[in-house]
Amino acid sequence: MTDGNDRFHIHRDTLTGETVYYVTHPTGVKIAICPKPEKKIAYATFGVKYGSIDNDFSVNGGEFTRVPDGIAHYLEHKLFENEDCGAFERYAKTGASANAFTAYDKTCYYFSCTRHFEQAFEILLDFVQNPYFTEESVQKERGIIVQEIQMYQDSPGSKVYSNLMKAMYLDHPIKNDVAGTVESISQITPELLYQCYNTFYNPNNMVLAVAGKVDPQEVLAMCDRLFLPKEKLEIVSRHPEDNGRIVQPFIEEELDVPFPLFQLGFKESWRQLSERERILSGIIRNAVFGPISDFYDRMIRKQLINPGFGYNSIEVEGAMASVFQGMSSFPEALRDEIFEEIERVKREGISPRIFECARRSSYGGNITAFNYTEDIADNLQDDIMFGIDTFGLLKAAASVTVEEANELFRRQYDISNSSLSVVRRSKEA
Amino acid sequence: MEENENNMYVSSLGEGISFRSVWETRFKDACIAIHFVFPMNRDDVTVNAVLGSLLNRSCAKYRQFSELDRALAMLYGASVRTAITIFGNCQMLTVVIGFLDDRFVPGDECVSGECAALLSEIVFRPVVGEDGLLFDGDEVERALRNTEERIRSRINDKEEYASARCCDIMCEGEPMSIEAGGYLEDLPDITREALTKAWRKILSTSLVEIITVGGVNHASVERIFAREFKAFDRHCAELPRLPAYKEPIQVKEVTERMDVQQSKLIMGFRLPITEPDDRTMAARLMSLLFGGGTTSLLFNNVREKQGLCYYCSSDYTRYAGIMYVRSGIEESNKDKVVEEVKRQLEVIAGNAFTDDEFNAAKLYMISAFESFKDSIGVIESWYAFQLYDGCVRTPEQGVERIKAVTRSQVAECARLARLDTVYMLAPEASEETNESEGGQGDD
């Protein structure tokens, strides 16, 4: 028996035609469900607001504990193993495709399936809520994670990014790789894993999002049956004070790459962005530096960028930046051109015609974000975790103006607070 | 012409030109793709790769890339992508436009109609210079430089690099070893004349597949492309048969060294099973059971039980009859991993896998096939990649074929697999490990 729809807050969106069912479960887990009966797939993601940056924390006002870097990621690996058998082995009976990932500020466990949703859902909720670590199993996992760390160390792309973080952040844990180092993970013990688990994997710190071929009431009924209540904890995760300034404007590493790789980051002071600012930030990057811009065209002609040139944003608590990346034979010259363009646009503003191109593109992108069950649930989960109004983004994309964009642009892109990271072959080579 | 229960409309637009429209209203986007399929030729791969990279950057109507990109952005973020893929002895040049479904477009703009017209502009009316040759000289120069950068940067991805090296060694002299992305040594010969010739050849002699998926009015797309192709004197070449099976005589073992921390192990196997062989589905299931994801024997034994790697997976290509096993490992564990991989293949060959393992692989594959229908892009490529299959099947028919595969058929496929090459990309030798490696072909 289910409780009917009265437990849900239901949002029916006119622009996308989607309906999302929201509820905070009595245990504290926040839930969002987007039923899409026309789909073959059902997808669920169970996430905890806990990632690699949460390595210094206190519970219920107690002493702060500093744990080894990479422990959130290690914990993610180890949760897949229960006392009797592993989660993958259990999933195997359902045909579900399951996995997990750890980011700076979250850890998410997910699966998608076309059949046996109930069984797979039960496995997901069960293994995430029932940790089982032994000395032996923790030891065995170390070899696997060392290989994972080494895999990234052989990637020049990961190197250039990781160096940029070190050039931009003195103390913020974003400067450390999510998986930690071979050295830091050697200090991880079952006791430490349990301590982190018992702190962060608390229902009040968790978000479940489900999308696709599912019935919201049935999902909620399963949650009622499977969620384990726990005492609510006051968790404080602290990060060393960041003075808001970069550490160094330039960082370089010599690696045997055929062409230099670069990342150029503009550091900003961290704040909670409004939905309009969020949408505008993307539109600005596209309109000022993207393939539709005059700048991009000029840089291609000057041979300072190639079609691989791209950009994104970094946003985790305490750290915010816009980052440009790609391959360029002359990264320093490109950086100077980007600086000049920033100053020009701050003076003259963004072309209203190009702004409209970027705005329409953003609008289309925010509609098609509701195409795939996986994307829908991932976005809903993120938005709940970090306080973003999912449908507010789309409304913003329909209505933002070039004046707002110019106003925001003038506050972003402080060229005196940017770092350039380059990986290239040694000059002697 | 036919329209069946799968909302599919199929027609022919002339010699070797098939048109397929899958009507779907379950999506917020739609796409129109045109695929040109032609026999693989070592002499043409580089010019074709450069052509592919030029086509979606301009057209006579939008001569600059930024103009074209703005036009696409105004169509609510439409995008044009080109790709060159290889299957068996053939190459496929794809130009695909993806766009927001008309139902979600504010106002009454017909984005699908504009995108169909834009795709035909891009494919059939590239920029023409005063000399009658295609493309802008500066744009070609940039494309050549980008191609060079792309080819030379393959080494940045060590897994991809190691896989390509394994393929080079294993399939030397065979079409499978030809790089679709092109070769550095060919670049100096790629001129606007060569590109113009390659473009004409592809449009006049390729087998063409035009596929639309989504809420697209097929009649108007059909009309546009039928008209465009009339301008070409078409004489479509026959597709070559897929490469014949080549029994490995001796296992080739090669270790190469580079400044890396993790060793990449690639093992290449050959199977005498290529399309349209009835056993390809069993071979796919065998590869999935062997190393296709978290239910597989390689994942569970090499990674989970022995903790030797972060990943160890297998994939089988039904157009070439080749299966690769790929893993990132500690160099000192090479023998252990190779032995375990061989052992797990023997488990399958000996029909000694459990029913649970078999059913898990089967269910996983069925779910994957069933989920194909949830993506416009996957539906599109599902139909594009059936040229060699003997007939065109729906994903549902695919599911039925998986269900019919038996344990002994899977075991039989594993018995037919022959190890051909063991390739390893390893860290540069330190003082202690700097010793003779033995084995054939080491360097």
Side-chain angles (χ1 to χ4, degrees):
Chain A
M1 286 300 288
T2 58
D3 290 343
N5 278 339
D6 52 348
R7 286 173 66 189
F8 291 110
H9 158 68
I10 301 172
H11 179 92
R12 290 181 213 283
D13 186 64
T14 48
L15 291 175
T16 58
E18 302 296 346
T19 302
V20 180
Y21 294 69
Y22 296 96
V23 61
T24 299
H25 193 263
T27 51
V29 179
K30 292 170 199 76
I31 302 172
I33 305 162
C34 180
K36 288 176 80 70
E38 76 281 13
K39 292 285 182 188
K40 305 283 176 197
I41 296 175
Y43 174 86
T45 169
F46 195 20
V48 51
K49 197 178 169 192
Y50 166 54
S52 64
I53 65 167
D54 301 299
N55 56 11
D56 189 10
F57 54 85
S58 104
V59 182
N60 292 339
E63 293 274 298
F64 274 85
T65 311
R66 178 73 170 83
V67 291
D69 290 336
I71 196 161
H73 172 255
Y74 211 114
L75 187 49
E76 173 229 305
H77 271 241
K78 282 322 303 163
L79 265 194
F80 276 88
E81 212 164 311
N82 292 135
E83 191 165 1
D84 42 353
C85 75
F88 285 127
E89 219 177 315
R90 298 168 70 195
Y91 273 128
K93 294 188 172 53
T94 68
S97 167
N99 214 333
F101 70 89
T102 308
Y104 288 127
D105 51 4
K106 64 186 169 195
T107 311
C108 302
Y109 302 82
Y110 57 89
F111 72 86
S112 71
C113 65
T114 56
R115 297 160 179 233
H116 310 301
F117 173 79
E118 255 183 62
Q119 289 102 302
F121 189 71
E122 197 166 330
I123 294 163
L124 173 70
L125 265 49
D126 182 61
F127 85 84
V128 174
Q129 295 186 97
N130 290 293
Y132 179 74
F133 317 127
T134 63
E135 198 66 59
E136 194 199 354
S137 75
V138 169
Q139 184 65 34
K140 188 218 76 189
E141 202 68 22
R142 194 159 294 141
I144 296 175
I145 298 176
V146 165
Q147 287 308 319
E148 188 178 358
I149 291 172
Q150 291 193 337
M151 180 177 82
Y152 290 116
Q153 281 174 345
D154 283 335
S155 153
S158 302
K159 270 276 162 67
V160 72
Y161 171 77
S162 164
N163 291 346
L164 176 70
M165 292 302 108
K166 287 180 178 67
M168 286 208 294
Y169 296 95
L170 183 61
D171 288 318
H172 193 284
I174 195 172
K175 74 183 168 97
N176 303 317
D177 293 340
V178 168
T181 62
V182 173
E183 202 279 316
S184 75
I185 65 163
S186 70
Q187 300 157 24
I188 291 171
T189 61
E191 294 71 35
L192 283 171
L193 289 173
Y194 275 117
Q195 186 184 4
C196 290
Y197 181 87
N198 290 328
T199 302
F200 291 100
Y201 284 65
N202 186 284
N204 294 284
N205 200 35
M206 301 182 79
V207 178
L208 171 76
V210 183
K213 198 178 62 178
V214 292
D215 175 343
Q217 294 178 25
E218 283 172 21
V219 172
L220 185 56
M222 283 191 276
C223 291
D224 287 340
R225 183 161 57 81
L226 299 164
F227 276 156
L228 304 174
K230 277 189 192 169
E231 184 198 342
K232 186 173 179 177
L233 301 176
E234 285 309 322
I235 311 161
V236 179
S237 175
R238 76 176 171 188
H239 313 127
E241 200 67 32
D242 186 82
N243 66 3
R245 305 299 298 176
I246 55 151
V247 183
Q248 57 197 88
F250 183 71
I251 186 166
E252 184 175 24
E253 182 169 344
E254 286 178 358
L255 280 179
D256 193 15
V257 288
F259 295 95
L261 269 66
F262 72 89
Q263 294 220 349
L264 171 65
F266 290 86
K267 189 168 172 178
E268 288 177 48
S269 3
W270 185 81
R271 62 193 192 283
Q272 181 77 30
L273 292 176
S274 70
E275 282 70 25
R276 292 184 89 76
E277 285 177 313
R278 204 170 283 280
I279 285 292
L280 280 167
S281 296
I283 292 176
I284 287 170
R285 278 193 291 274
N286 194 5
V288 179
F289 307 104
I292 58 173
S293 69
D294 291 328
F295 172 78
Y296 184 97
D297 200 47
R298 221 163 49 237
M299 292 307 103
I300 286 274
R301 283 170 200 284
K302 284 192 170 181
Q303 307 186 5
L304 288 176
I305 60 172
N306 67 19
F309 177 72
Y311 35 76
N312 56 28
S313 63
I314 288 170
E315 192 191 349
V316 301
E317 201 175 309
M320 191 181 265
S322 287
V323 176
F324 298 86
Q325 67 201 26
M327 221 155 59
S328 174
S329 297
F330 309 100
E332 289 90 344
L334 172 64
R335 173 197 55 199
D336 296 345
E337 292 275 1
I338 291 177
F339 283 180
E340 258 181 54
E341 183 64 3
I342 288 169
E343 284 178 344
R344 188 193 69 76
V345 175
K346 282 189 177 176
R347 276 192 320 270
E348 299 171 15
I350 300 165
S351 144
R353 187 170 73 94
I354 307 295
F355 172 84
E356 179 57 11
C357 290
R359 189 198 65 76
R360 281 190 174 210
S361 191
S362 168
Y363 183 83
N366 275 280
I367 294 266
T368 48
F370 287 92
N371 231 346
Y372 299 108
T373 47
E374 295 90 331
D375 293 351
I376 297 170
D378 288 346
N379 290 339
L380 288 171
Q381 183 176 52
D382 251 26
D383 293 351
I384 293 172
M385 231 179 240
F386 302 108
I388 300 161
D389 172 8
T390 309
F391 294 99
L393 292 172
L394 187 55
K395 274 189 214 138
S399 62
V400 286
T401 64
V402 69
E403 289 76 22
E404 284 174 273
N406 285 326
E407 210 267 316
L408 180 62
F409 186 77
R410 289 188 188 105
R411 287 189 279 130
Q412 295 176 322
Y413 299 101
D414 175 358
I415 59 176
S416 74
N417 206 19
S418 67
S419 301
L420 175 66
S421 165
V422 178
V423 160
R424 65 180 140 212
R425 209 168 253 177
S426 81
K427 291 185 180 74
E428 292 86 56
Chain B
M1 287 185 211
E2 52 171 299
E3 200 150 1
N4 66 21
E5 70 281 9
N6 285 294
N7 304 324
M8 192 128 58
Y9 169 84
V10 183
S11 69
S12 167
L13 305 186
E15 191 200 325
I17 308 169
S18 68
F19 178 84
R20 181 180 300 276
S21 176
V22 186
W23 177 258
E24 282 281 6
T25 53
R26 301 180 299 131
F27 299 98
K28 295 185 166 59
D29 61 347
C31 74
I32 306 171
I34 178 159
H35 304 276
F36 298 93
V37 183
F38 42 92
M40 173 86 127
N41 181 347
R42 164 63 187 86
D43 295 338
D44 293 339
V45 283
T46 312
V47 71
N48 289 341
V50 177
L51 177 67
S53 76
L54 278 164
L55 274 181
N56 68 338
R57 296 194 65 82
S58 65
C59 58
K61 190 173 176 188
Y62 302 107
R63 299 180 66 89
Q64 309 294 339
F65 177 56
S66 52
E67 287 174 28
L68 174 60
D69 217 65
R70 281 170 205 167
L72 290 163
M74 283 303 277
L75 294 167
Y76 294 91
S79 64
V80 181
R81 188 176 60 80
T82 58
I84 300 248
T85 37
I86 287 186
F87 56 116
N89 298 357
C90 287
Q91 260 197 298
M92 181 157 88
L93 167 67
T94 299
V95 188
V96 56
I97 188 162
F99 47 90
L100 190 63
D101 190 285
D102 289 330
R103 290 172 299 134
F104 296 96
V105 174
D108 50 10
E109 217 169 322
C110 177
V111 165
S112 62
E114 292 191 45
C115 283
L118 187 50
L119 179 65
S120 79
E121 289 287 330
I122 286 167
V123 173
F124 295 95
R125 268 175 294 289
V127 170
V128 184
E130 282 175 9
D131 52 7
L133 295 172
L134 296 184
F135 304 114
D136 169 80
D138 291 344
E139 193 71 49
V140 169
E141 206 180 292
R142 283 191 288 274
L144 290 174
R145 212 185 43 253
N146 292 337
T147 307
E148 183 194 337
E149 287 183 10
R150 196 171 33 71
I151 295 172
R152 288 178 56 195
S153 301
R154 279 176 194 153
I155 201 166
N156 287 354
D157 185 332
K158 303 297 181 293
E159 166 76 30
E160 204 183 307
Y161 175 80
S163 298
R165 285 294 299 138
C166 182
C167 179
D168 283 346
I169 294 159
M170 177 164 161
C171 305
E172 196 186 343
E174 294 175 86
M176 288 87 86
S177 70
I178 299 175
E179 273 284 355
Y183 293 86
L184 286 178
E185 62 266 31
D186 299 350
L187 290 174
D189 300 328
I190 294 176
T191 57
R192 289 175 57 230
E193 286 85 345
L195 287 159
T196 305
K197 219 174 121 194
W199 177 80
R200 286 223 178 90
K201 186 175 169 190
I202 287 177
L203 266 71
S204 323
T205 65
S206 304
L207 213 64
V208 181
E209 294 238 5
I210 300 162
I211 302 176
T212 78
V213 187
V216 181
N217 177 337
H218 67 73
S220 69
V221 179
E222 211 179 4
R223 216 164 30 239
I224 290 172
F225 286 95
R227 194 180 57 222
E228 297 286 7
F229 275 109
K230 282 219 176 86
F232 289 85
D233 175 23
R234 290 203 19 105
H235 38 91
C236 190
E238 284 261 313
L239 286 187
R241 287 170 61 90
L242 287 175
Y245 175 68
K246 206 172 131 190
E247 175 91 22
I249 301 157
Q250 188 187 359
V251 177
K252 296 189 265 294
E253 286 224 27
V254 176
T255 297
E256 292 179 324
R257 298 197 173 272
M258 198 185 267
D259 182 15
V260 291
Q261 299 212 14
Q262 183 184 60
S263 297
K264 303 288 184 197
L265 173 73
I266 318 285
M267 296 169 70
F269 295 83
R270 290 183 187 264
L271 277 87
I273 303 171
T274 52
E275 292 294 355
D277 193 314
D278 281 344
R279 298 170 299 176
T280 52
M281 195 56 93
R284 289 165 86 173
L285 186 55
M286 181 274 287
S287 175
L288 192 73
L289 170 65
F290 185 37
T294 56
T295 59
S296 72
L297 301 185
L298 293 183
F299 181 87
N300 281 310
N301 291 285
V302 184
R303 173 180 149 143
E304 294 296 289
K305 286 212 179 93
Q306 303 204 23
L308 292 170
C309 61
Y310 173 60
Y311 66 92
C312 185
S313 62
S314 71
D315 51 87
Y316 154 75
T317 318
R318 62 199 168 106
Y319 307 110
I322 287 176
M323 178 171 72
Y324 290 109
V325 169
R326 307 170 211 265
S327 187
I329 60 169
E330 196 70 55
E331 186 183 6
S332 56
N333 286 332
K334 179 189 171 189
D335 292 346
K336 250 193 257 177
V337 175
V338 168
E339 278 319 303
E340 189 59 27
V341 169
K342 286 183 187 167
R343 209 175 68 80
Q344 292 306 325
L345 191 63
E346 279 163 21
V347 167
I348 304 179
N351 207 340
F353 47 91
T354 66
D355 276 337
D356 279 353
E357 287 162 343
F358 179 66
N359 292 334
K362 212 170 185 178
L363 196 52
Y364 189 87
M365 195 168 178
I366 289 171
S367 293
F369 271 56
E370 285 175 338
S371 70
F372 289 166
K373 294 203 92 174
D374 275 5
S375 158
I376 287 277
V378 178
I379 295 174
E380 198 283 309
S381 41
W382 168 267
Y383 288 106
F385 277 91
Q386 295 198 45
L387 273 183
Y388 275 110
D389 294 6
C391 65
V392 176
R393 298 184 180 94
T394 61
E396 289 86 349
Q397 288 166 324
V399 168
E400 291 311 312
R401 288 183 77 210
I402 302 167
K403 284 183 184 166
V405 176
T406 63
R407 286 181 59 103
S408 57
Q409 287 170 336
V410 163
E412 171 66 14
C413 290
R415 271 198 293 282
L416 291 170
R418 294 279 177 279
L419 181 59
D420 183 298
T421 301
V422 179
Y423 174 83
M424 177 111 137
L425 181 67
E428 270 150 2
S430 65
E431 301 268 309
E432 305 92 78
T433 59
N434 195 2
E435 57 198 35
S436 167
E437 299 266 324
Q440 185 199 337
D442 276 4
D443 72 27

